[in-house]
């Protein structure tokens, strides 16, 4: 079932497509807030602009995922939305774990990030077990962590917006996605932002995050293109001037004038 009806999402190219990338959006109804759907749109658009074809697949509770996904994204939601997708997540656990082990790029935000960890315990004490793909555990709190967020990552300085009560702790040995330069990140205490295992990225950045951070978006596309075609990613030049300006200005505003890159 399509996630959105956007004629520009498929490659409108006169040249032959370099290959088809299956982009799976997990739970677009239950887990997609603060603009998270924009990440799927951004990835579909960039896949097309790089000369590939985006096959966007919305995964809804009650259906079975197969192993054909080359790129998987999931967004944030309310605690109640997380509880609604739990059963389906476990019905598809082996597939998702297998895809992660195969190096399939995945980006899980906020509520889905928490469910890709070991467990999320809500503020009322309800324990929602997670898939354990990321070795993190999240505890809900009465106080929310809200505001703009800046992470330093291997894909440069990334900006977004966070709004979560869950406080996430990385187990020993779990790599963070980035280091917090502004905002709360995983827990507001240890400066870690998100988590990364293989090509699975979890973090708290909404926004949507990818249009403002095209380098990260293209890294996900590159991993996916290589899996889909068995060949190195063949990028096309992109004009990211507006996105770069928007990101740079936000970083300057939050961190000061010498900080933007
Ligand atoms: N329920 C989670 C929390 O508040 C997730 C929030 C979200 O996905 N934005 O921690």
């Amino acid at each position: 079932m399509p996630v959105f009806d956007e004629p520009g999402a498929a490659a409108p190219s006169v040249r032959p497509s370099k290959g088809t990338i299956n982009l799976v959006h997990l739970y677009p109804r239950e887990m997609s807030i603060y603009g998270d759907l924009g990440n799927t749109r951004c990835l579909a658009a960039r896949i097309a602009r790089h000369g590939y074809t985006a096959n966007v697949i919305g995964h809804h509770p009650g259906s079975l995922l197969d192993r054909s996904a080359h790129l998987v994204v999931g967004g944030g939601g309310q605690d109640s939305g997380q509880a609604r997708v739990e059963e389906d997540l476990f019905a598809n656990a082996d597939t998702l774990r297998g895809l992660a082990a195969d190096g399939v790029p995945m980006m899980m935000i906020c509520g889905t990030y928490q469910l890709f960890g070991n467990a999320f315990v809500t503020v009322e004490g309800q324990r929602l077990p997670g898939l354990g793909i990321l070795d993190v555990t999240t505890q809900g709190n009465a106080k929310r962590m809200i505001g703009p967020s800046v992470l330093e990552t291997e894909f440069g300085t990334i900006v977004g917006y966070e709004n979560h009560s869950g406080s996430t702790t990385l187990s020993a040995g779990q790599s963070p996605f980035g280091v917090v330069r502004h905002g709360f990140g995983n827990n507001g205490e240890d400066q870690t932002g998100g988590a990364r295992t293989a090509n699975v990225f979890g973090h708290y950045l909404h926004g949507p995050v990818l249009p403002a951070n095209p380098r990260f978006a293209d890294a996900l596309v590159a991993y996916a293109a290589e899996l889909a075609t068995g060949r190195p990613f063949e990028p096309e030049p992109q004009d990211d001037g507006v996105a770069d300006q928007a990101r740079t200005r936000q970083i300057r505003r939050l961190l000061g004038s010498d900080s933007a890159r």
Side-chain angles (χ1 to χ4, degrees), residues 31 33-34 75-79 82 109-112 114 120 138 144 163-167 204 206:
M31 302 295 294
I33 53 174
Y34 312 131
Q78 313 298 329
D79 294 6
Q82 289 171 276
I109 301 172
C110 208
T112 318
Q114 295 169 352
F120 169 47
T138 303
R144 299 194 73 81
N163 185 351
H164 53 111
S165 84
S167 178
Y204 279 109
H206 299 282

Side-chain angles (χ1 to χ4, degrees), residues 59-81:
H59 173 77
H60 301 283
S63 51
L64 281 181
L65 282 166
D66 62 34
R67 292 287 286 262
S68 66
H70 305 120
L71 180 52
V72 185
V73 293
Q78 313 298 329
D79 294 6
S80 56

Side-chain angles (χ1 to χ4, degrees), residues 18-21 52 70 222-234:
K18 296 172 186 172
T20 297
I21 294 175
Y52 296 80
H70 305 120
Y223 296 132
E226 284 168 19
L227 282 170
T229 64
R231 294 189 306 276
F233 178 47
E234 297 167 19

Side-chain angles (χ1 to χ4, degrees), residues 8-13 15-23 43-56 70 221 224-225 228-229:
S13 176
R15 283 187 278 169
S17 171
K18 296 172 186 172
T20 297
I21 294 175
N22 295 328
L23 165 56
L43 288 168
R46 293 190 80 87
I47 286 168
R49 287 182 206 154
H50 284 300
Y52 296 80
T53 303
N55 178 29
V56 182
H70 305 120
V221 172
T229 64

